[in-house]
Coordinates of all heavy atoms in Angstrom, one line a residue:
M263 N -19.4 9.2 3.4 CA -18.6 8.4 4.3 C -19.6 7.5 5.1 O -20.6 8.0 5.6 CB -17.8 9.3 5.2 CG -17.1 8.5 6.3 SD -16.1 9.6 7.4 CE -17.4 10.4 8.3
T264 N -19.2 6.3 5.2 CA -20.1 5.3 6.0 C -19.3 4.9 7.3 O -18.1 4.7 7.2 CB -20.3 4.0 5.2 OG1 -21.0 4.4 4.0 CG2 -21.2 3.1 5.9
R265 N -20.0 4.9 8.4 CA -19.5 4.4 9.6 C -20.2 3.2 10.1 O -21.5 3.2 10.0 CB -19.5 5.5 10.7 CG -18.6 6.6 10.5 CD -18.9 7.7 11.5 NE -18.5 7.3 12.9 CZ -17.4 7.6 13.5 NH1 -16.5 8.3 12.9 NH2 -17.1 7.2 14.7
M266 N -19.5 2.2 10.5 CA -20.2 1.0 11.0 C -19.4 0.5 12.3 O -18.2 0.6 12.3 CB -20.1 -0.2 10.0 CG -20.7 0.0 8.7 SD -20.5 -1.4 7.6 CE -22.0 -2.3 8.0
S267 N -20.1 0.0 13.3 CA -19.5 -0.6 14.4 C -18.9 -1.9 13.9 O -19.3 -2.5 12.9 CB -20.4 -0.8 15.5 OG -21.4 -1.8 15.2
A268 N -17.9 -2.4 14.7 CA -17.3 -3.7 14.4 C -18.4 -4.8 14.3 O -18.4 -5.7 13.5 CB -16.2 -4.1 15.4
R269 N -19.4 -4.7 15.2 CA -20.5 -5.7 15.3 C -21.3 -5.6 14.0 O -21.6 -6.6 13.4 CB -21.3 -5.5 16.5 CG -22.5 -6.4 16.6 CD -23.3 -6.3 17.8 NE -22.5 -6.8 18.9 CZ -22.8 -6.8 20.1 NH1 -24.0 -6.3 20.5 NH2 -22.1 -7.4 21.1
E270 N -21.7 -4.4 13.6 CA -22.4 -4.2 12.4 C -21.7 -4.7 11.2 O -22.2 -5.4 10.3 CB -22.8 -2.7 12.1 CG -23.8 -2.1 13.1 CD -23.9 -0.6 12.9 OE1 -22.8 0.1 12.7 OE2 -25.0 -0.2 12.9
F271 N -20.4 -4.4 11.1 CA -19.5 -4.9 10.0 C -19.5 -6.4 9.9 O -19.7 -7.0 8.9 CB -18.1 -4.4 10.2 CG -17.2 -4.9 9.2 CD1 -17.2 -4.5 7.9 CD2 -16.3 -6.0 9.5 CE1 -16.3 -5.0 6.9 CE2 -15.4 -6.5 8.5 CZ -15.4 -6.0 7.2
N272 N -19.4 -7.1 11.1 CA -19.4 -8.5 11.1 C -20.7 -9.1 10.6 O -20.7 -10.2 10.0 CB -19.0 -9.1 12.5 CG -17.6 -8.9 12.8 OD1 -16.7 -8.8 11.9 ND2 -17.3 -8.7 14.1
Q273 N -21.8 -8.4 10.9 CA -23.1 -8.9 10.6 C -23.5 -8.5 9.1 O -24.4 -9.2 8.5 CB -24.2 -8.4 11.5 CG -24.0 -8.9 12.9 CD -24.9 -8.3 14.0 OE1 -25.5 -7.2 13.7 NE2 -25.0 -8.8 15.1
Q274 N -22.9 -7.5 8.6 CA -23.3 -7.0 7.3 C -22.1 -6.7 6.4 O -21.9 -5.6 5.8 CB -24.1 -5.7 7.5 CG -25.3 -5.8 8.3 CD -26.0 -4.5 8.6 OE1 -25.8 -3.5 7.9 NE2 -26.7 -4.4 9.7
V275 N -21.3 -7.7 6.2 CA -20.1 -7.6 5.4 C -20.4 -7.2 3.9 O -19.8 -6.3 3.4 CB -19.2 -8.9 5.4 CG1 -18.1 -8.8 4.4 CG2 -18.8 -9.2 6.8
S276 N -21.4 -7.8 3.4 CA -21.8 -7.4 2.0 C -22.2 -6.0 1.9 O -21.8 -5.3 0.9 CB -23.0 -8.3 1.5 OG -22.6 -9.6 1.5
K277 N -22.9 -5.4 2.8 CA -23.3 -4.0 2.8 C -22.1 -3.2 2.9 O -22.0 -2.1 2.2 CB -24.3 -3.7 4.0 CG -24.7 -2.3 4.1 CD -25.6 -2.1 5.3 CE -26.0 -0.6 5.4 NZ -26.8 -0.4 6.6
A278 N -21.1 -3.5 3.7 CA -19.9 -2.7 3.9 C -19.1 -2.8 2.6 O -18.6 -1.7 2.1 CB -19.0 -3.3 5.0
R279 N -19.0 -3.9 2.0 CA -18.2 -4.1 0.7 C -18.9 -3.2 -0.4 O -18.2 -2.5 -1.1 CB -18.2 -5.5 0.3 CG -17.2 -6.3 1.2 CD -17.2 -7.8 0.8 NE -17.0 -8.0 -0.6 CZ -17.4 -9.1 -1.3 NH1 -18.0 -10.1 -0.7 NH2 -17.1 -9.2 -2.6
Q280 N -20.2 -3.2 -0.4 CA -20.9 -2.4 -1.4 C -20.7 -0.9 -1.2 O -20.4 -0.1 -2.1 CB -22.4 -2.8 -1.4 CG -23.2 -2.2 -2.6 CD -22.7 -2.8 -3.9 OE1 -22.4 -3.9 -4.0 NE2 -22.7 -1.9 -4.9
A281 N -20.8 -0.5 0.1 CA -20.6 0.9 0.4 C -19.2 1.3 0.1 O -18.9 2.5 -0.3 CB -20.9 1.1 1.9
A282 N -18.2 0.5 0.3 CA -16.8 0.8 0.0 C -16.5 1.1 -1.4 O -15.5 1.7 -1.8 CB -15.9 -0.3 0.6
L283 N -17.3 0.6 -2.3 CA -17.2 0.9 -3.7 C -17.4 2.4 -4.0 O -16.9 2.9 -5.0 CB -18.1 0.1 -4.6 CG -17.9 -1.4 -4.6 CD1 -19.0 -2.1 -5.3 CD2 -16.5 -1.7 -5.1
E284 N -18.1 3.1 -3.2 CA -18.4 4.5 -3.3 C -17.5 5.4 -2.5 O -17.0 6.4 -2.9 CB -19.9 4.8 -3.0 CG -20.9 4.0 -3.9 CD -20.8 4.4 -5.4 OE1 -20.6 5.6 -5.7 OE2 -20.9 3.5 -6.2
D285 N -17.4 5.1 -1.2 CA -16.6 5.9 -0.3 C -16.0 4.9 0.8 O -16.4 3.8 0.9 CB -17.6 6.8 0.5 CG -18.1 7.9 -0.4 OD1 -17.3 8.6 -1.0 OD2 -19.3 8.2 -0.3
P286 N -15.0 5.4 1.5 CA -14.4 4.6 2.5 C -15.4 4.3 3.6 O -16.3 5.1 3.9 CB -13.3 5.5 3.1 CG -13.0 6.5 2.1 CD -14.3 6.7 1.3
V287 N -15.3 3.1 4.2 CA -16.1 2.7 5.3 C -15.3 2.6 6.5 O -14.3 1.9 6.6 CB -16.7 1.3 5.0 CG1 -17.6 0.8 6.2 CG2 -17.6 1.3 3.7
F288 N -15.6 3.5 7.5 CA -14.9 3.5 8.8 C -15.6 2.5 9.7 O -16.8 2.6 10.0 CB -14.9 4.9 9.4 CG -14.1 5.9 8.6 CD1 -14.6 6.5 7.5 CD2 -12.8 6.1 9.0 CE1 -13.9 7.4 6.7 CE2 -12.1 7.0 8.2 CZ -12.6 7.6 7.1
I289 N -14.8 1.6 10.3 CA -15.2 0.6 11.2 C -14.8 1.0 12.6 O -13.6 1.2 12.8 CB -14.7 -0.8 10.8 CG1 -15.2 -1.1 9.4 CG2 -15.2 -1.9 11.8 CD1 -14.4 -2.3 8.7
T290 N -15.7 1.1 13.5 CA -15.4 1.6 14.8 C -15.5 0.5 15.9 O -16.2 -0.5 15.7 CB -16.4 2.7 15.2 OG1 -17.8 2.1 15.3 CG2 -16.4 3.9 14.2
E291 N -14.7 0.7 16.9 CA -14.7 -0.1 18.1 C -14.9 0.8 19.3 O -14.1 1.8 19.5 CB -13.5 -0.9 18.2 CG -13.3 -2.0 17.2 CD -12.1 -2.8 17.3 OE1 -11.4 -2.7 18.3 OE2 -11.8 -3.5 16.3
R292 N -15.9 0.6 20.1 CA -16.2 1.5 21.2 C -16.3 3.0 20.8 O -15.9 3.9 21.5 CB -15.2 1.3 22.3 CG -15.2 -0.1 22.9 CD -14.4 -0.1 24.1 NE -14.4 -1.5 24.7 CZ -13.5 -2.4 24.6 NH1 -12.4 -2.1 23.9 NH2 -13.6 -3.6 25.1
G293 N -16.9 3.2 19.6 CA -17.1 4.5 19.1 C -16.0 5.2 18.5 O -16.1 6.3 17.9
Q294 N -14.8 4.6 18.5 CA -13.6 5.1 17.9 C -13.2 4.4 16.6 O -13.3 3.2 16.5 CB -12.4 5.0 18.9 CG -12.6 5.7 20.2 CD -12.7 7.2 19.9 OE1 -12.0 7.8 19.2 NE2 -13.7 7.8 20.6
P295 N -12.9 5.2 15.5 CA -12.5 4.5 14.3 C -11.3 3.7 14.5 O -10.3 4.2 15.0 CB -12.2 5.7 13.3 CG -12.7 6.9 14.0 CD -12.8 6.6 15.5
K296 N -11.3 2.5 14.0 CA -10.2 1.6 14.1 C -9.7 1.0 12.8 O -8.5 0.7 12.7 CB -10.5 0.4 15.0 CG -10.8 0.8 16.5 CD -9.5 1.2 17.1 CE -9.8 1.6 18.6 NZ -8.6 2.1 19.2
H297 N -10.6 0.9 11.8 CA -10.2 0.4 10.5 C -11.0 1.1 9.4 O -12.0 1.8 9.7 CB -10.6 -1.1 10.4 CG -10.1 -2.0 11.5 ND1 -8.9 -2.4 11.6 CD2 -10.7 -2.4 12.7 CE1 -8.7 -3.2 12.7 NE2 -9.8 -3.1 13.4
V298 N -10.4 1.0 8.2 CA -11.1 1.7 7.1 C -11.1 0.6 5.9 O -10.1 0.0 5.6 CB -10.3 2.9 6.6 CG1 -11.0 3.5 5.4 CG2 -10.2 3.9 7.7
L299 N -12.2 0.4 5.3 CA -12.4 -0.5 4.2 C -12.5 0.4 2.9 O -13.3 1.3 2.9 CB -13.7 -1.3 4.4 CG -14.0 -2.3 3.3 CD1 -12.9 -3.4 3.3 CD2 -15.4 -2.9 3.5
L300 N -11.6 0.1 2.0 CA -11.5 0.9 0.7 C -11.7 0.0 -0.5 O -11.3 -1.2 -0.4 CB -10.1 1.6 0.6 CG -9.7 2.5 1.7 CD1 -8.3 2.9 1.5 CD2 -10.6 3.8 1.6
S301 N -12.1 0.5 -1.6 CA -12.0 -0.2 -2.8 C -10.6 -0.2 -3.3 O -9.8 0.6 -2.8 CB -12.9 0.5 -3.9 OG -12.3 1.7 -4.2
I302 N -10.2 -1.2 -4.1 CA -8.9 -1.2 -4.6 C -8.5 0.0 -5.4 O -7.3 0.5 -5.3 CB -8.6 -2.5 -5.5 CG1 -7.1 -2.7 -5.7 CG2 -9.4 -2.4 -6.8 CD1 -6.3 -3.0 -4.5
E303 N -9.4 0.6 -6.1 CA -9.1 1.9 -6.8 C -8.8 3.0 -5.8 O -7.9 3.8 -6.1 CB -10.3 2.3 -7.7 CG -10.6 1.3 -8.8 CD -11.4 0.1 -8.4 OE1 -11.9 0.0 -7.3 OE2 -11.5 -0.8 -9.3
A304 N -9.5 3.1 -4.7 CA -9.3 4.1 -3.7 C -7.9 3.9 -3.1 O -7.2 4.8 -2.8 CB -10.4 4.2 -2.7
Y305 N -7.6 2.6 -2.8 CA -6.3 2.3 -2.2 C -5.2 2.7 -3.1 O -4.2 3.3 -2.7 CB -6.3 0.8 -1.8 CG -4.9 0.4 -1.4 CD1 -4.5 0.6 -0.1 CD2 -4.1 -0.3 -2.3 CE1 -3.2 0.2 0.3 CE2 -2.8 -0.7 -1.9 CZ -2.4 -0.4 -0.6 OH -1.1 -0.8 -0.2
E306 N -5.3 2.3 -4.4 CA -4.2 2.6 -5.4 C -4.1 4.1 -5.5 O -3.0 4.6 -5.7 CB -4.5 1.9 -6.7 CG -4.3 0.4 -6.6 CD -4.6 -0.3 -7.8 OE1 -5.3 0.2 -8.7 OE2 -4.2 -1.5 -7.9
A307 N -5.2 4.9 -5.5 CA -5.1 6.3 -5.6 C -4.3 6.9 -4.4 O -3.5 7.8 -4.5 CB -6.5 6.9 -5.7
L308 N -4.5 6.4 -3.2 CA -3.9 6.8 -2.0 C -2.4 6.5 -2.0 O -1.5 7.3 -1.6 CB -4.5 6.2 -0.7 CG -5.8 6.8 -0.3 CD1 -6.3 6.0 0.9 CD2 -5.6 8.3 0.1
T309 N -2.0 5.3 -2.5 CA -0.7 4.9 -2.5 C 0.1 5.3 -3.7 O 1.3 5.0 -3.8 CB -0.6 3.3 -2.3 OG1 -1.2 2.7 -3.4 CG2 -1.2 2.9 -1.0
G310 N -0.6 5.9 -4.6 CA 0.1 6.3 -5.9 C 0.4 5.1 -6.8 O 1.2 5.2 -7.7
N311 N -0.4 4.0 -6.5 CA -0.2 2.8 -7.3 C 1.2 2.3 -7.3 O 1.7 1.7 -8.3 CB -0.7 3.1 -8.8 CG -1.2 1.8 -9.4 OD1 -1.3 0.8 -8.8 ND2 -1.4 1.9 -10.7
H312 N 1.9 2.5 -6.2 CA 3.3 2.0 -6.1 C 3.3 0.5 -5.9 O 2.4 0.0 -5.2 CB 4.0 2.7 -4.9 CG 4.2 4.1 -5.1 ND1 4.9 4.7 -6.1 CD2 3.7 5.2 -4.4 CE1 4.9 6.0 -6.0 NE2 4.2 6.3 -5.0
R313 N 4.2 -0.1 -6.5 CA 4.4 -1.6 -6.4 C 5.5 -1.8 -5.4 O 6.4 -1.0 -5.3 CB 4.7 -2.2 -7.7 CG 3.5 -2.1 -8.7 CD 3.8 -2.5 -10.1 NE 4.6 -3.6 -10.2 CZ 5.2 -4.0 -11.4 NH1 5.0 -3.2 -12.4 NH2 6.0 -5.0 -11.5
P314 N 5.5 -3.0 -4.7 CA 6.7 -3.3 -3.8 C 8.0 -3.3 -4.6 O 8.0 -3.7 -5.8 CB 6.3 -4.7 -3.3 CG 4.8 -4.8 -3.5 CD 4.5 -4.0 -4.7
I315 N 9.1 -2.9 -4.0 CA 10.4 -2.8 -4.6 C 10.8 -4.2 -5.2 O 11.4 -4.3 -6.3 CB 11.4 -2.3 -3.7 CG1 12.7 -2.0 -4.4 CG2 11.7 -3.2 -2.5 CD1 12.7 -0.8 -5.3
A316 N 10.4 -5.3 -4.5 CA 10.7 -6.6 -5.0 C 10.1 -6.9 -6.4 O 10.7 -7.5 -7.3 CB 10.3 -7.7 -4.0
D317 N 8.8 -6.4 -6.5 CA 8.2 -6.6 -7.8 C 8.8 -5.7 -8.9 O 8.9 -6.2 -10.1 CB 6.7 -6.2 -7.7 CG 5.9 -7.1 -6.9 OD1 6.4 -8.2 -6.6 OD2 4.7 -6.8 -6.6
L318 N 9.3 -4.5 -8.6 CA 9.9 -3.7 -9.5 C 11.3 -4.2 -10.0 O 11.7 -4.0 -11.1 CB 10.1 -2.3 -9.0 CG 8.8 -1.5 -8.6 CD1 9.1 -0.2 -7.9 CD2 8.0 -1.3 -9.9
L319 N 12.0 -4.9 -9.1 CA 13.3 -5.5 -9.4 C 13.2 -6.8 -10.2 O 14.2 -7.2 -10.8 CB 14.1 -5.7 -8.2 CG 14.5 -4.4 -7.4 CD1 15.1 -4.7 -6.1 CD2 15.3 -3.5 -8.3
H320 N 12.1 -7.4 -10.2 CA 11.9 -8.7 -11.0 C 11.6 -8.4 -12.4 O 10.5 -7.8 -12.7 CB 10.8 -9.5 -10.3 CG 10.6 -10.8 -11.1 ND1 11.4 -11.8 -11.0 CD2 9.6 -11.1 -11.9 CE1 10.9 -12.8 -11.8 NE2 9.8 -12.4 -12.4
L321 N 12.5 -8.7 -13.3 CA 12.3 -8.5 -14.7 C 12.1 -9.8 -15.5 O 12.9 -10.7 -15.2 CB 13.5 -7.7 -15.3 CG 13.7 -6.3 -14.7 CD1 15.0 -5.7 -15.3 CD2 12.5 -5.4 -15.0
E322 N 11.2 -9.8 -16.4 CA 11.0 -11.0 -17.2 C 12.1 -11.1 -18.3 O 12.4 -12.2 -18.8 CB 9.6 -11.0 -17.8 CG 8.5 -11.1 -16.8 CD 8.5 -12.4 -16.0 OE1 8.9 -13.5 -16.6 OE2 8.2 -12.4 -14.9
E323 N 12.6 -10.0 -18.8 CA 13.5 -9.9 -19.9 C 14.9 -9.4 -19.4 O 15.0 -8.7 -18.3 CB 13.0 -9.1 -21.1 CG 12.9 -7.6 -20.8 CD 11.6 -7.2 -20.1 OE1 10.7 -8.0 -20.0 OE2 11.6 -6.1 -19.6
D324 N 15.9 -9.6 -20.2 CA 17.2 -9.1 -19.8 C 17.2 -7.6 -20.0 O 16.5 -7.0 -20.9 CB 18.3 -9.7 -20.7 CG 18.5 -11.2 -20.4 OD1 18.2 -11.6 -19.3 OD2 19.0 -11.9 -21.3
L325 N 18.0 -6.9 -19.2 CA 18.1 -5.5 -19.3 C 19.5 -5.1 -19.6 O 20.5 -5.6 -18.9 CB 17.7 -4.9 -17.9 CG 17.8 -3.4 -17.7 CD1 16.8 -2.7 -18.7 CD2 17.5 -3.0 -16.3
E326 N 19.7 -4.3 -20.6 CA 21.1 -3.8 -20.9 C 21.2 -2.4 -20.2 O 20.4 -1.5 -20.4 CB 21.3 -3.6 -22.4 CG 21.3 -5.0 -23.1 CD 21.7 -4.8 -24.5 OE1 22.4 -3.9 -24.9 OE2 21.2 -5.7 -25.3
L327 N 22.3 -2.3 -19.4 CA 22.5 -1.1 -18.6 C 23.9 -0.7 -18.7 O 24.8 -1.5 -18.4 CB 22.0 -1.3 -17.2 CG 22.1 -0.2 -16.2 CD1 21.2 0.9 -16.6 CD2 21.8 -0.7 -14.8
E328 N 24.2 0.5 -19.1 CA 25.6 1.0 -19.1 C 25.7 2.1 -18.1 O 25.0 3.1 -18.1 CB 25.9 1.6 -20.5 CG 25.9 0.6 -21.6 CD 26.3 1.2 -22.9 OE1 27.1 2.2 -22.9 OE2 25.9 0.7 -24.0
L329 N 26.6 1.8 -17.1 CA 26.8 2.8 -16.0 C 28.2 3.5 -16.3 O 29.1 2.8 -16.7 CB 26.9 2.0 -14.7 CG 25.6 1.3 -14.3 CD1 25.8 0.5 -13.0 CD2 24.5 2.3 -14.1
P330 N 28.2 4.8 -16.0 CA 29.5 5.5 -16.2 C 30.5 5.0 -15.1 O 30.1 4.6 -14.0 CB 29.2 6.9 -16.0 CG 27.9 6.9 -15.2 CD 27.2 5.6 -15.6
K331 N 31.8 5.0 -15.4 CA 32.8 4.6 -14.5 C 32.9 5.7 -13.4 O 32.9 6.9 -13.7 CB 34.1 4.4 -15.1 CG 34.1 3.1 -16.0 CD 35.5 2.8 -16.5 CE 35.4 1.6 -17.3 NZ 36.7 0.9 -17.5
A332 N 33.0 5.3 -12.2 CA 33.1 6.2 -11.1 C 34.6 6.6 -11.0 O 35.5 5.7 -11.0 CB 32.6 5.6 -9.8
S333 N 34.9 7.8 -10.8 CA 36.3 8.3 -10.7 C 36.4 9.2 -9.5 O 35.5 10.0 -9.3 CB 36.8 8.9 -12.0 OG 36.0 10.1 -12.2
G334 N 37.5 9.1 -8.8 CA 37.7 10.0 -7.7 C 36.9 9.7 -6.4 O 36.9 10.4 -5.5
L335 N 36.2 8.6 -6.4 CA 35.4 8.2 -5.3 C 36.2 7.3 -4.3 O 36.0 7.4 -3.1 CB 34.1 7.5 -5.7 CG 33.1 8.3 -6.5 CD1 31.9 7.5 -6.9 CD2 32.7 9.5 -5.8
A336 N 37.1 6.5 -4.8 CA 37.8 5.6 -3.9 C 39.2 6.2 -3.7 O 39.8 6.8 -4.6 CB 37.9 4.2 -4.6
R337 N 39.8 5.9 -2.6 CA 41.1 6.3 -2.3 C 41.7 5.3 -1.3 O 41.0 4.5 -0.6 CB 41.2 7.7 -1.7 CG 40.5 7.8 -0.4 CD 40.6 9.2 0.2 NE 40.0 9.2 1.5 CZ 39.6 10.2 2.2 NH1 39.7 11.4 1.6 NH2 39.1 10.1 3.4
A338 N 43.0 5.2 -1.3 CA 43.7 4.3 -0.4 C 43.5 4.6 1.0 O 43.4 5.8 1.4 CB 45.2 4.3 -0.8
A339 N 43.4 3.6 1.8 CA 43.3 3.7 3.3 C 44.6 4.2 3.9 O 45.6 3.8 3.4 CB 42.8 2.4 3.9
E340 N 44.5 5.1 4.8 CA 45.7 5.5 5.5 C 45.7 5.0 7.0 O 44.7 5.1 7.7 CB 45.7 7.1 5.6 CG 45.8 7.7 4.2 CD 45.8 9.2 4.3 OE1 46.1 9.8 5.4 OE2 45.5 9.8 3.3
F341 N 46.8 4.3 7.3 CA 46.9 3.7 8.6 C 48.0 4.5 9.4 O 49.1 4.7 8.8 CB 47.2 2.2 8.6 CG 46.1 1.4 7.9 CD1 46.3 1.0 6.6 CD2 45.0 1.1 8.6 CE1 45.3 0.3 6.0 CE2 44.0 0.4 8.0 CZ 44.1 0.0 6.7
D342 N 47.9 4.8 10.6 CA 48.9 5.5 11.4 C 49.8 4.5 12.1 O 49.5 3.4 12.4 CB 48.3 6.4 12.5 CG 47.5 7.5 11.8 OD1 48.0 8.0 10.8 OD2 46.5 8.0 12.4

């Protein structure tokens, strides 16, 4: 694990990027961790490689989908 102050990070971005390929880089402000720099592989491992729902709903090809008819779910409204 690498820790860098925000000032060090600003002065040594290349070093931080290189270190992030191996382990997360914690960037601190006033001694407290505020940010974490990760490789894309580490990020995808943390998020489970989930894609945004909008990306999942966008299909390049047509999709054939047969849904069963719902029965017993709807009923007439009752007014007093």
Side-chain angles (χ1 to χ4, degrees):
M263 174 179 73
T264 302
R265 290 176 64 99
M266 301 179 90
S267 69
R269 178 177 287 178
E270 290 172 319
F271 174 76
N272 288 333
Q273 294 171 348
Q274 302 174 22
V275 174
S276 296
K277 180 180 175 184
R279 289 176 51 202
Q280 191 65 35
L283 294 175
E284 299 298 321
D285 288 312
V287 176
F288 291 83
I289 302 165
T290 63
E291 292 179 12
R292 296 188 179 105
Q294 298 298 313
K296 294 293 180 180
H297 307 280
V298 179
L299 181 65
L300 301 170
S301 67
I302 192 65
E303 293 83 9
Y305 172 78
E306 288 175 346
L308 283 174
T309 62
N311 203 13
H312 295 298
R313 294 171 36 195
I315 189 73
D317 290 348
L318 296 172
L319 294 174
H320 176 76
L321 300 174
E322 296 294 329
E323 67 279 345
D324 290 336
L325 176 67
E326 291 187 32
L327 181 63
E328 292 184 32
L329 298 174
K331 291 189 178 197
S333 61
L335 296 177
R337 62 179 186 200
E340 296 180 19
F341 297 102
D342 292 326

